[in-house]
PDB file of all heavy atoms in Angstrom:
ATOM      1  N   THR A 671       0.825  -1.234   0.004  1.00 94.00           N
ATOM      2  CA  THR A 671       0.003   0.010  -0.001  1.00 94.00           C
ATOM      3  C   THR A 671       0.854   1.259   0.006  1.00 94.00           C
ATOM      4  O   THR A 671       0.399   2.316   0.425  1.00 94.00           O
ATOM      5  CB  THR A 671      -0.932   0.008   1.220  1.00 94.00           C
ATOM      6  OG1 THR A 671      -0.143  -0.001   2.419  1.00 94.00           O
ATOM      7  CG2 THR A 671      -1.872  -1.187   1.202  1.00 94.00           C
ATOM      8  N   PHE A 672       2.084   1.166  -0.455  1.00 96.00           N
ATOM      9  CA  PHE A 672       3.023   2.312  -0.429  1.00 96.00           C
ATOM     10  C   PHE A 672       2.415   3.504  -1.161  1.00 96.00           C
ATOM     11  O   PHE A 672       1.830   3.375  -2.253  1.00 96.00           O
ATOM     12  CB  PHE A 672       4.345   1.923  -1.040  1.00 96.00           C
ATOM     13  CG  PHE A 672       5.369   3.036  -0.991  1.00 96.00           C
ATOM     14  CD1 PHE A 672       5.939   3.419   0.214  1.00 96.00           C
ATOM     15  CD2 PHE A 672       5.745   3.704  -2.149  1.00 96.00           C
ATOM     16  CE1 PHE A 672       6.888   4.426   0.274  1.00 96.00           C
ATOM     17  CE2 PHE A 672       6.702   4.717  -2.083  1.00 96.00           C
ATOM     18  CZ  PHE A 672       7.255   5.077  -0.878  1.00 96.00           C
ATOM     19  N   ASP A 673       2.589   4.688  -0.595  1.00 96.00           N
ATOM     20  CA  ASP A 673       2.017   5.932  -1.134  1.00 96.00           C
ATOM     21  C   ASP A 673       3.028   6.551  -2.094  1.00 96.00           C
ATOM     22  O   ASP A 673       3.962   7.236  -1.687  1.00 96.00           O
ATOM     23  CB  ASP A 673       1.690   6.889   0.028  1.00 96.00           C
ATOM     24  CG  ASP A 673       0.937   8.119  -0.426  1.00 96.00           C
ATOM     25  OD1 ASP A 673       0.883   8.379  -1.629  1.00 96.00           O
ATOM     26  OD2 ASP A 673       0.408   8.829   0.452  1.00 96.00           O
ATOM     27  N   TRP A 674       2.793   6.376  -3.388  1.00 97.00           N
ATOM     28  CA  TRP A 674       3.732   6.896  -4.380  1.00 97.00           C
ATOM     29  C   TRP A 674       3.648   8.423  -4.495  1.00 97.00           C
ATOM     30  O   TRP A 674       4.620   9.068  -4.891  1.00 97.00           O
ATOM     31  CB  TRP A 674       3.474   6.236  -5.731  1.00 97.00           C
ATOM     32  CG  TRP A 674       3.802   4.770  -5.709  1.00 97.00           C
ATOM     33  CD1 TRP A 674       2.935   3.740  -5.590  1.00 97.00           C
ATOM     34  CD2 TRP A 674       5.121   4.212  -5.754  1.00 97.00           C
ATOM     35  NE1 TRP A 674       3.607   2.534  -5.541  1.00 97.00           N
ATOM     36  CE2 TRP A 674       4.954   2.798  -5.658  1.00 97.00           C
ATOM     37  CE3 TRP A 674       6.402   4.730  -5.847  1.00 97.00           C
ATOM     38  CZ2 TRP A 674       6.038   1.927  -5.660  1.00 97.00           C
ATOM     39  CZ3 TRP A 674       7.471   3.858  -5.859  1.00 97.00           C
ATOM     40  CH2 TRP A 674       7.290   2.467  -5.763  1.00 97.00           C
ATOM     41  N   LYS A 675       2.514   9.012  -4.161  1.00 97.00           N
ATOM     42  CA  LYS A 675       2.418  10.486  -4.127  1.00 97.00           C
ATOM     43  C   LYS A 675       3.320  11.063  -3.045  1.00 97.00           C
ATOM     44  O   LYS A 675       3.888  12.146  -3.207  1.00 97.00           O
ATOM     45  CB  LYS A 675       0.975  10.914  -3.903  1.00 97.00           C
ATOM     46  CG  LYS A 675       0.072  10.700  -5.114  1.00 97.00           C
ATOM     47  CD  LYS A 675      -1.318  11.287  -4.859  1.00 97.00           C
ATOM     48  CE  LYS A 675      -2.188  11.151  -6.091  1.00 97.00           C
ATOM     49  NZ  LYS A 675      -3.548  11.727  -5.876  1.00 97.00           N
ATOM     50  N   TRP A 676       3.452  10.340  -1.933  1.00 97.00           N
ATOM     51  CA  TRP A 676       4.377  10.743  -0.883  1.00 97.00           C
ATOM     52  C   TRP A 676       5.798  10.791  -1.439  1.00 97.00           C
ATOM     53  O   TRP A 676       6.519  11.788  -1.235  1.00 97.00           O
ATOM     54  CB  TRP A 676       4.299   9.742   0.272  1.00 97.00           C
ATOM     55  CG  TRP A 676       5.313   9.944   1.363  1.00 97.00           C
ATOM     56  CD1 TRP A 676       5.161  10.692   2.494  1.00 97.00           C
ATOM     57  CD2 TRP A 676       6.648   9.404   1.447  1.00 97.00           C
ATOM     58  NE1 TRP A 676       6.299  10.651   3.274  1.00 97.00           N
ATOM     59  CE2 TRP A 676       7.228   9.865   2.636  1.00 97.00           C
ATOM     60  CE3 TRP A 676       7.384   8.577   0.605  1.00 97.00           C
ATOM     61  CZ2 TRP A 676       8.521   9.520   3.015  1.00 97.00           C
ATOM     62  CZ3 TRP A 676       8.690   8.247   0.988  1.00 97.00           C
ATOM     63  CH2 TRP A 676       9.241   8.714   2.178  1.00 97.00           C
ATOM     64  N   LEU A 677       6.195   9.759  -2.134  1.00 97.00           N
ATOM     65  CA  LEU A 677       7.568   9.716  -2.680  1.00 97.00           C
ATOM     66  C   LEU A 677       7.787  10.811  -3.716  1.00 97.00           C
ATOM     67  O   LEU A 677       8.838  11.464  -3.742  1.00 97.00           O
ATOM     68  CB  LEU A 677       7.808   8.333  -3.324  1.00 97.00           C
ATOM     69  CG  LEU A 677       9.190   8.142  -3.959  1.00 97.00           C
ATOM     70  CD1 LEU A 677      10.301   8.328  -2.918  1.00 97.00           C
ATOM     71  CD2 LEU A 677       9.288   6.768  -4.621  1.00 97.00           C
ATOM     72  N   GLN A 678       6.803  11.038  -4.561  1.00 97.00           N
ATOM     73  CA  GLN A 678       6.913  12.074  -5.569  1.00 97.00           C
ATOM     74  C   GLN A 678       7.140  13.449  -4.920  1.00 97.00           C
ATOM     75  O   GLN A 678       7.971  14.239  -5.382  1.00 97.00           O
ATOM     76  CB  GLN A 678       5.652  12.098  -6.431  1.00 97.00           C
ATOM     77  CG  GLN A 678       5.686  13.077  -7.588  1.00 97.00           C
ATOM     78  CD  GLN A 678       4.388  13.057  -8.413  1.00 97.00           C
ATOM     79  OE1 GLN A 678       3.383  12.494  -7.964  1.00 97.00           O
ATOM     80  NE2 GLN A 678       4.433  13.627  -9.583  1.00 97.00           N
ATOM     81  N   ALA A 679       6.396  13.728  -3.874  1.00 97.00           N
ATOM     82  CA  ALA A 679       6.547  15.017  -3.174  1.00 97.00           C
ATOM     83  C   ALA A 679       7.919  15.156  -2.528  1.00 97.00           C
ATOM     84  O   ALA A 679       8.532  16.234  -2.571  1.00 97.00           O
ATOM     85  CB  ALA A 679       5.450  15.158  -2.104  1.00 97.00           C
ATOM     86  N   ARG A 680       8.426  14.049  -1.979  1.00 97.00           N
ATOM     87  CA  ARG A 680       9.750  14.118  -1.321  1.00 97.00           C
ATOM     88  C   ARG A 680      10.856  14.334  -2.348  1.00 97.00           C
ATOM     89  O   ARG A 680      11.814  15.070  -2.097  1.00 97.00           O
ATOM     90  CB  ARG A 680      10.024  12.841  -0.525  1.00 97.00           C
ATOM     91  CG  ARG A 680       9.087  12.623   0.662  1.00 97.00           C
ATOM     92  CD  ARG A 680       9.095  13.811   1.630  1.00 97.00           C
ATOM     93  NE  ARG A 680       8.248  13.562   2.770  1.00 97.00           N
ATOM     94  CZ  ARG A 680       6.943  13.817   2.829  1.00 97.00           C
ATOM     95  NH1 ARG A 680       6.331  14.366   1.778  1.00 97.00           N
ATOM     96  NH2 ARG A 680       6.232  13.567   3.898  1.00 97.00           N
ATOM     97  N   LEU A 681      10.757  13.672  -3.504  1.00 97.00           N
ATOM     98  CA  LEU A 681      11.770  13.851  -4.531  1.00 97.00           C
ATOM     99  C   LEU A 681      11.754  15.279  -5.096  1.00 97.00           C
ATOM    100  O   LEU A 681      12.798  15.809  -5.467  1.00 97.00           O
ATOM    101  CB  LEU A 681      11.525  12.854  -5.664  1.00 97.00           C
ATOM    102  CG  LEU A 681      11.755  11.373  -5.318  1.00 97.00           C
ATOM    103  CD1 LEU A 681      11.375  10.483  -6.496  1.00 97.00           C
ATOM    104  CD2 LEU A 681      13.218  11.146  -4.933  1.00 97.00           C
ATOM    105  N   ALA A 682      10.554  15.883  -5.103  1.00 97.00           N
ATOM    106  CA  ALA A 682      10.440  17.247  -5.633  1.00 97.00           C
ATOM    107  C   ALA A 682      10.951  18.295  -4.668  1.00 97.00           C
ATOM    108  O   ALA A 682      11.377  19.383  -5.085  1.00 97.00           O
ATOM    109  CB  ALA A 682       8.968  17.530  -5.972  1.00 97.00           C
ATOM    110  N   ASP A 683      10.954  17.984  -3.366  1.00 95.00           N
ATOM    111  CA  ASP A 683      11.359  18.974  -2.369  1.00 95.00           C
ATOM    112  C   ASP A 683      12.059  18.293  -1.209  1.00 95.00           C
ATOM    113  O   ASP A 683      11.529  18.189  -0.101  1.00 95.00           O
ATOM    114  CB  ASP A 683      10.122  19.729  -1.879  1.00 95.00           C
ATOM    115  CG  ASP A 683      10.472  20.859  -0.905  1.00 95.00           C
ATOM    116  OD1 ASP A 683      11.557  21.431  -1.031  1.00 95.00           O
ATOM    117  OD2 ASP A 683       9.640  21.145  -0.013  1.00 95.00           O
ATOM    118  N   PRO A 684      13.280  17.787  -1.430  1.00 96.00           N
ATOM    119  CA  PRO A 684      13.958  17.013  -0.376  1.00 96.00           C
ATOM    120  C   PRO A 684      14.546  17.861   0.745  1.00 96.00           C
ATOM    121  O   PRO A 684      14.824  17.347   1.826  1.00 96.00           O
ATOM    122  CB  PRO A 684      15.062  16.302  -1.141  1.00 96.00           C
ATOM    123  CG  PRO A 684      15.362  17.211  -2.294  1.00 96.00           C
ATOM    124  CD  PRO A 684      14.063  17.828  -2.684  1.00 96.00           C
ATOM    125  N   ALA A 685      14.764  19.152   0.521  1.00 96.00           N
ATOM    126  CA  ALA A 685      15.486  19.972   1.499  1.00 96.00           C
ATOM    127  C   ALA A 685      14.832  21.338   1.640  1.00 96.00           C
ATOM    128  O   ALA A 685      15.424  22.387   1.332  1.00 96.00           O
ATOM    129  CB  ALA A 685      16.938  20.120   1.117  1.00 96.00           C
ATOM    130  N   THR A 686      13.596  21.370   2.090  1.00 96.00           N
ATOM    131  CA  THR A 686      12.838  22.607   2.228  1.00 96.00           C
ATOM    132  C   THR A 686      13.591  23.645   3.039  1.00 96.00           C
ATOM    133  O   THR A 686      14.131  23.361   4.119  1.00 96.00           O
ATOM    134  CB  THR A 686      11.482  22.320   2.907  1.00 96.00           C
ATOM    135  OG1 THR A 686      10.851  21.240   2.254  1.00 96.00           O
ATOM    136  CG2 THR A 686      10.585  23.545   2.866  1.00 96.00           C
ATOM    137  N   ASN A 687      13.621  24.862   2.545  1.00 94.00           N
ATOM    138  CA  ASN A 687      14.187  26.049   3.212  1.00 94.00           C
ATOM    139  C   ASN A 687      15.708  26.047   3.306  1.00 94.00           C
ATOM    140  O   ASN A 687      16.284  27.023   3.773  1.00 94.00           O
ATOM    141  CB  ASN A 687      13.603  26.246   4.620  1.00 94.00           C
ATOM    142  CG  ASN A 687      12.130  26.612   4.604  1.00 94.00           C
ATOM    143  OD1 ASN A 687      11.671  27.319   3.708  1.00 94.00           O
ATOM    144  ND2 ASN A 687      11.383  26.092   5.538  1.00 94.00           N
ATOM    145  N   SER A 688      16.356  24.986   2.910  1.00 95.00           N
ATOM    146  CA  SER A 688      17.821  24.970   2.965  1.00 95.00           C
ATOM    147  C   SER A 688      18.423  25.993   2.016  1.00 95.00           C
ATOM    148  O   SER A 688      19.486  26.547   2.282  1.00 95.00           O
ATOM    149  CB  SER A 688      18.340  23.569   2.632  1.00 95.00           C
ATOM    150  OG  SER A 688      17.920  22.642   3.615  1.00 95.00           O
ATOM    151  N   ASP A 689      17.725  26.267   0.898  1.00 94.00           N
ATOM    152  CA  ASP A 689      18.214  27.267  -0.037  1.00 94.00           C
ATOM    153  C   ASP A 689      18.212  28.663   0.600  1.00 94.00           C
ATOM    154  O   ASP A 689      19.144  29.451   0.389  1.00 94.00           O
ATOM    155  CB  ASP A 689      17.384  27.275  -1.314  1.00 94.00           C
ATOM    156  CG  ASP A 689      15.899  27.533  -1.051  1.00 94.00           C
ATOM    157  OD1 ASP A 689      15.403  27.257   0.082  1.00 94.00           O
ATOM    158  OD2 ASP A 689      15.202  28.004  -1.981  1.00 94.00           O
ATOM    159  N   LEU A 690      17.183  28.942   1.411  1.00 93.00           N
ATOM    160  CA  LEU A 690      17.118  30.244   2.086  1.00 93.00           C
ATOM    161  C   LEU A 690      18.282  30.409   3.076  1.00 93.00           C
ATOM    162  O   LEU A 690      18.931  31.445   3.109  1.00 93.00           O
ATOM    163  CB  LEU A 690      15.789  30.394   2.810  1.00 93.00           C
ATOM    164  CG  LEU A 690      15.627  31.618   3.716  1.00 93.00           C
ATOM    165  CD1 LEU A 690      15.823  32.887   2.924  1.00 93.00           C
ATOM    166  CD2 LEU A 690      14.262  31.609   4.380  1.00 93.00           C
ATOM    167  N   LEU A 691      18.546  29.381   3.861  1.00 94.00           N
ATOM    168  CA  LEU A 691      19.631  29.450   4.816  1.00 94.00           C
ATOM    169  C   LEU A 691      20.963  29.626   4.093  1.00 94.00           C
ATOM    170  O   LEU A 691      21.816  30.420   4.488  1.00 94.00           O
ATOM    171  CB  LEU A 691      19.655  28.192   5.675  1.00 94.00           C
ATOM    172  CG  LEU A 691      20.765  28.130   6.737  1.00 94.00           C
ATOM    173  CD1 LEU A 691      20.602  29.260   7.743  1.00 94.00           C
ATOM    174  CD2 LEU A 691      20.711  26.783   7.471  1.00 94.00           C
ATOM    175  N   ALA A 692      21.143  28.885   2.995  1.00 94.00           N
ATOM    176  CA  ALA A 692      22.398  28.998   2.227  1.00 94.00           C
ATOM    177  C   ALA A 692      22.558  30.393   1.646  1.00 94.00           C
ATOM    178  O   ALA A 692      23.659  30.976   1.680  1.00 94.00           O
ATOM    179  CB  ALA A 692      22.411  27.958   1.109  1.00 94.00           C
ATOM    180  N   GLN A 693      21.464  30.973   1.145  1.00 94.00           N
ATOM    181  CA  GLN A 693      21.541  32.326   0.589  1.00 94.00           C
ATOM    182  C   GLN A 693      21.894  33.357   1.665  1.00 94.00           C
ATOM    183  O   GLN A 693      22.674  34.279   1.427  1.00 94.00           O
ATOM    184  CB  GLN A 693      20.226  32.701  -0.085  1.00 94.00           C
ATOM    185  CG  GLN A 693      19.974  31.934  -1.387  1.00 94.00           C
ATOM    186  CD  GLN A 693      18.591  32.194  -1.929  1.00 94.00           C
ATOM    187  OE1 GLN A 693      17.918  33.160  -1.534  1.00 94.00           O
ATOM    188  NE2 GLN A 693      18.133  31.352  -2.846  1.00 94.00           N
ATOM    189  N   ALA A 694      21.306  33.182   2.846  1.00 94.00           N
ATOM    190  CA  ALA A 694      21.580  34.126   3.929  1.00 94.00           C
ATOM    191  C   ALA A 694      23.047  34.090   4.338  1.00 94.00           C
ATOM    192  O   ALA A 694      23.635  35.116   4.730  1.00 94.00           O
ATOM    193  CB  ALA A 694      20.690  33.813   5.139  1.00 94.00           C
ATOM    194  N   LEU A 695      23.648  32.906   4.259  1.00 94.00           N
ATOM    195  CA  LEU A 695      25.030  32.745   4.705  1.00 94.00           C
ATOM    196  C   LEU A 695      26.062  32.914   3.589  1.00 94.00           C
ATOM    197  O   LEU A 695      27.243  33.144   3.874  1.00 94.00           O
ATOM    198  CB  LEU A 695      25.209  31.365   5.340  1.00 94.00           C
ATOM    199  CG  LEU A 695      24.391  31.093   6.612  1.00 94.00           C
ATOM    200  CD1 LEU A 695      24.576  29.667   7.064  1.00 94.00           C
ATOM    201  CD2 LEU A 695      24.777  32.070   7.716  1.00 94.00           C
ATOM    202  N   LEU A 696      25.616  32.847   2.313  1.00 94.00           N
ATOM    203  CA  LEU A 696      26.604  32.836   1.219  1.00 94.00           C
ATOM    204  C   LEU A 696      26.463  33.978   0.218  1.00 94.00           C
ATOM    205  O   LEU A 696      27.388  34.236  -0.546  1.00 94.00           O
ATOM    206  CB  LEU A 696      26.484  31.509   0.451  1.00 94.00           C
ATOM    207  CG  LEU A 696      26.758  30.222   1.262  1.00 94.00           C
ATOM    208  CD1 LEU A 696      26.522  29.001   0.404  1.00 94.00           C
ATOM    209  CD2 LEU A 696      28.174  30.234   1.821  1.00 94.00           C
ATOM    210  N   THR A 697      25.324  34.673   0.187  1.00 95.00           N
ATOM    211  CA  THR A 697      25.167  35.781  -0.759  1.00 95.00           C
ATOM    212  C   THR A 697      26.206  36.867  -0.455  1.00 95.00           C
ATOM    213  O   THR A 697      26.199  37.456   0.637  1.00 95.00           O
ATOM    214  CB  THR A 697      23.750  36.384  -0.664  1.00 95.00           C
ATOM    215  OG1 THR A 697      22.790  35.371  -0.970  1.00 95.00           O
ATOM    216  CG2 THR A 697      23.589  37.549  -1.630  1.00 95.00           C
ATOM    217  N   PRO A 698      27.108  37.174  -1.405  1.00 93.00           N
ATOM    218  CA  PRO A 698      28.254  38.047  -1.076  1.00 93.00           C
ATOM    219  C   PRO A 698      27.928  39.520  -0.987  1.00 93.00           C
ATOM    220  O   PRO A 698      28.659  40.284  -0.328  1.00 93.00           O
ATOM    221  CB  PRO A 698      29.207  37.758  -2.228  1.00 93.00           C
ATOM    222  CG  PRO A 698      28.324  37.347  -3.364  1.00 93.00           C
ATOM    223  CD  PRO A 698      27.180  36.605  -2.755  1.00 93.00           C
ATOM    224  N   SER A 699      26.848  40.002  -1.631  1.00 92.00           N
ATOM    225  CA  SER A 699      26.599  41.441  -1.617  1.00 92.00           C
ATOM    226  C   SER A 699      25.110  41.710  -1.734  1.00 92.00           C
ATOM    227  O   SER A 699      24.317  40.805  -2.063  1.00 92.00           O
ATOM    228  CB  SER A 699      27.343  42.157  -2.752  1.00 92.00           C
ATOM    229  OG  SER A 699      26.724  41.864  -3.996  1.00 92.00           O
ATOM    230  N   LEU A 700      24.726  42.951  -1.503  1.00 91.00           N
ATOM    231  CA  LEU A 700      23.330  43.361  -1.591  1.00 91.00           C
ATOM    232  C   LEU A 700      22.936  43.755  -3.011  1.00 91.00           C
ATOM    233  O   LEU A 700      21.785  44.084  -3.268  1.00 91.00           O
ATOM    234  CB  LEU A 700      23.067  44.546  -0.650  1.00 91.00           C
ATOM    235  CG  LEU A 700      23.168  44.244   0.837  1.00 91.00           C
ATOM    236  CD1 LEU A 700      23.091  45.531   1.663  1.00 91.00           C
ATOM    237  CD2 LEU A 700      22.083  43.272   1.283  1.00 91.00           C
TER     238      LEU A 700
END
């Protein structure tokens, strides 16, 4: 009964908000 929609969602967004944290710490200028 595995939920394939669950897997599809995880593959589409495996690391929520990590891009925001990376940008806050790595964006070199305004």
Side-chain angles (χ1 to χ4, degrees):
T671 61
F672 183 70
D673 187 346
W674 293 101
K675 287 186 177 180
W676 173 91
L677 180 59
Q678 183 180 14
R680 295 304 183 272
L681 292 175
D683 184 30
T686 310
N687 293 324
S688 296
D689 57 336
L690 173 58
L691 181 62
Q693 289 173 16
L695 297 176
L696 300 176
T697 300
S699 72
L700 293 172

